[in-house]
Amino acid sequence: MSVRVVIGAQWGDEGKGKIVDLLSDQTKHVVRFQGGANAGHTLKFDDKTVVLHLIPSGIFNGDAKCVIGNGVVIDPFALLDEIKEVEGMGIDLKGRLFISQTAHVILPYHKVLDKMKERRRAEDAIGTTGRGIGPAYVSKIARIGIRMIDLFDMDLLHKKLLHNIEDINRALENMYSEPTIDADDMISKLDTAIAALKPYICNTSNMLHEAIEDGENILLEGAQGCLLDIDHGTYPYVTSSSPTSGGACTGSGIPPTAIDKVMGITKAYCTRVGNGPFPTELLDETGEELRKKGHEFGATTGRPRRCGWLDLVALKYAVRVNGMNELALTKMDVMDGFEEIKVCTAYKIKGEETSVFPLCLDDVESAEPVYTSLPGWDKDISGMTTFDELPDHAKSYIDFVETYLGVKFTIISTGPKRSETIIR
């Protein structure tokens, strides 16, 4: 039996979808454990491109049971749209898709609050997707959230919703001078979605415990990345959940003693979407070249991603926080053609050089990257499937990063398709 966590080791968008899809035919259960429809995992196979937001990325490769865990916040309307899309591709989700009874529900008023608060922050906006993720987690922590299991008791559900909407409308009207929410219209639309989702809702925690007892392989899929973790990321420019290995336990119900592999996913360079510090960001032609070659635009929002050189200080921090014992390197092919490739091996902060990632936001924002330059390569590596095929300088690049981090790359991606991969 193996329980493996797959998580982003940077600021998200590392290519987790491809790696989970690749590994899913070796497992019996694929579990999404946090986040919401703000995360887009892009899969490419059989000349198809699919972007999943809530359904685990293991749905297309093998016959694993795909679980949306208790740590996820679920937009029922977005999930229904995604279910229809996947079923339209010929995938039968009956007996394949399972939703935790204790996962929380994103409701229309969460989206209203999300967009309003971002608008009112103005230049201090976090850069959220406006999909209600943060406010849904606020409701959860405030103990006024609606859980999937609440959808089975319509009378109690309506009572809870009306109570919440009454409070929210009072704030919208009196504090923010914003339009109020029509409770009856919202509840009516929600009633329609509930009937379609009920067959998928169950006790997923017990299902996974039984899978562990039976010795079955489990793959835990994170969204976003370590540096966006609510506790360990570049707060406050973070997501509202824990996309770390610790979050994998709380978001799935699987005990930490069951996990034996933690795989971190990193690009061969760095990207970030939204606001917040980014020490190695390149605001020049090189940054634009990385964006263009890497097709760096958000899968969910379409926003252009900020690009920069690989940051090993931040990556080492992610390795330590998560206990990563294996790594996957994605978008290695994007580095083709660079005469020189830089990697950040230290920061200079207030005149002092350090290789420790700082926890103070001001220090991260003011950090000057200290680079080590490595030779690039001219050879096109896209689609290569064995390590020996790689040019010597590409091998040296990988070796340098592995030595710095103290962890090996077991997977190297040389293109977006499932088949364009080196397994070591």
Side-chain angles (χ1 to χ4, degrees):
M1 180 201 75
S2 172
V3 178
R4 172 188 266 143
V5 184
V6 174
I7 48 180
Q10 299 170 304
W11 281 282
D13 308 307
E14 300 95 348
K16 295 178 291 296
K18 172 183 172 171
I19 303 303
V20 172
D21 169 71
L22 181 72
L23 297 173
S24 61
D25 67 344
Q26 306 169 22
T27 188
K28 290 291 185 180
H29 300 265
V30 180
V31 187
R32 170 78 181 276
F33 63 82
Q34 49 76 223
N38 54 341
H41 290 181
T42 303
L43 314 179
K44 292 192 178 185
F45 56 92
D46 300 334
D47 296 323
K48 297 176 183 177
T49 300
V50 186
V51 180
L52 296 176
H53 301 277
L54 288 164
I55 296 175
S57 300
I59 198 67
F60 294 109
N61 191 17
D63 58 0
K65 293 179 179 178
C66 291
V67 177
I68 301 177
N70 57 276
V72 180
V73 287
I74 300 171
D75 179 339
F77 306 105
L79 180 54
L80 283 176
D81 287 342
E82 198 164 304
I83 287 172
K84 290 176 184 176
E85 180 183 3
V86 171
E87 288 181 333
M89 298 176 67
I91 304 296
D92 186 2
L93 293 179
K94 294 180 177 64
R96 293 279 318 274
L97 179 64
F98 302 86
I99 303 170
S100 171
Q101 292 174 327
T102 53
H104 279 248
V105 182
I106 296 175
L107 295 156
Y109 54 72
H110 291 129
K111 296 181 182 180
V112 170
L113 293 171
D114 196 355
K115 293 174 182 176
M116 179 199 70
K117 287 181 179 296
E118 276 290 272
R119 187 171 64 248
R120 295 176 74 86
R121 288 187 184 107
E123 61 183 25
D124 294 323
I126 303 298
T128 75
T129 59
R131 283 165 167 75
I133 311 298
Y137 279 114
V138 169
S139 291
K140 177 178 179 176
I141 300 304
R143 290 164 289 189
I144 58 170
I146 305 297
R147 304 192 299 175
M148 299 304 291
I149 198 168
D150 294 330
L151 306 183
F152 287 84
D153 187 335
M154 299 305 293
D155 290 338
L156 180 61
L157 174 64
H158 286 190
K159 183 178 179 180
K160 287 184 175 181
L161 286 173
L162 287 171
H163 184 269
N164 287 353
I165 293 170
E166 182 181 350
D167 282 349
I168 290 167
N169 278 344
R170 190 178 297 117
L172 288 173
E173 187 174 17
N174 298 325
M175 291 177 61
Y176 301 115
S177 299
E178 296 279 348
T180 56
I181 296 165
D182 186 327
D184 292 335
D185 179 62
M186 194 202 80
I187 291 172
S188 174
K189 290 177 180 176
L190 186 62
D191 285 349
T192 304
I194 289 171
L197 290 178
K198 274 186 178 180
Y200 300 104
I201 302 170
C202 66
N203 185 340
T204 59
S205 178
N206 185 64
M207 175 194 299
L208 295 172
H209 293 161
E210 291 182 347
I212 292 171
E213 291 171 2
D214 292 340
E216 296 178 348
N217 291 341
I218 299 172
L219 186 62
L220 300 171
E221 176 185 15
Q224 289 91 34
C226 172
L227 298 176
L228 292 177
D229 186 274
I230 187 69
D231 286 299
H232 303 291
T234 49
Y235 190 89
Y237 299 99
V238 293
T239 193
S240 303
S241 57
S242 296
T244 49
S245 56
C249 295
T250 56
S252 66
I254 289 179
T257 50
I259 295 171
D260 57 349
K261 295 180 181 179
V262 180
M263 174 179 280
I265 316 297
T266 175
K267 288 176 180 171
Y269 52 99
C270 266
T271 64
R272 178 164 194 167
V273 172
N275 298 329
F278 184 178
T280 64
E281 183 174 14
L282 297 171
L283 302 174
D284 56 11
E285 293 179 357
T286 303
E288 184 59 37
E289 185 176 0
L290 285 171
R291 184 180 299 110
K292 184 178 179 180
K293 290 178 67 176
H295 306 288
E296 295 297 349
F297 298 89
T300 297
T301 63
R303 291 183 293 185
R305 296 179 183 134
R306 300 155 63 190
C307 297
W309 294 120
L310 183 62
D311 186 337
L312 294 184
V313 178
L315 193 51
K316 180 80 170 185
Y317 170 71
V319 167
R320 287 174 168 175
V321 166
N322 293 280
M324 294 172 184
N325 52 19
E326 55 181 349
L327 291 168
L329 184 64
T330 62
K331 296 207 170 183
M332 187 65 176
D333 52 303
V334 174
M335 309 311 290
D336 293 351
F338 283 97
E339 183 176 337
E340 175 189 44
I341 298 174
K342 294 182 179 181
V343 289
C344 173
T345 52
Y347 294 157
K348 187 171 285 187
I349 301 173
K350 298 173 184 175
E352 298 286 332
E353 189 169 307
T354 180
S355 59
V356 177
F357 187 80
L359 301 182
C360 172
L361 183 70
D362 289 344
D363 286 345
V364 185
E365 288 180 329
S366 65
E368 299 176 29
V370 178
Y371 288 115
T372 297
S373 293
L374 301 172
W377 55 90
D378 290 328
K379 189 174 182 180
D380 180 4
I381 70 168
S382 59
M384 288 185 179
T385 56
T386 66
F387 189 77
D388 288 342
E389 291 179 86
L390 293 174
D392 289 341
H393 287 165
K395 293 176 184 177
S396 297
Y397 178 87
I398 292 168
D399 181 64
F400 182 90
V401 175
E402 287 180 332
T403 301
Y404 187 100
L405 299 175
V407 184
K408 293 288 186 180
F409 289 106
T410 57
I411 295 175
I412 299 166
S413 176
T414 59
K417 294 182 179 179
R418 186 188 296 159
S419 58
E420 297 173 321
T421 310
I422 296 170
I423 306 293
R424 299 172 76 193

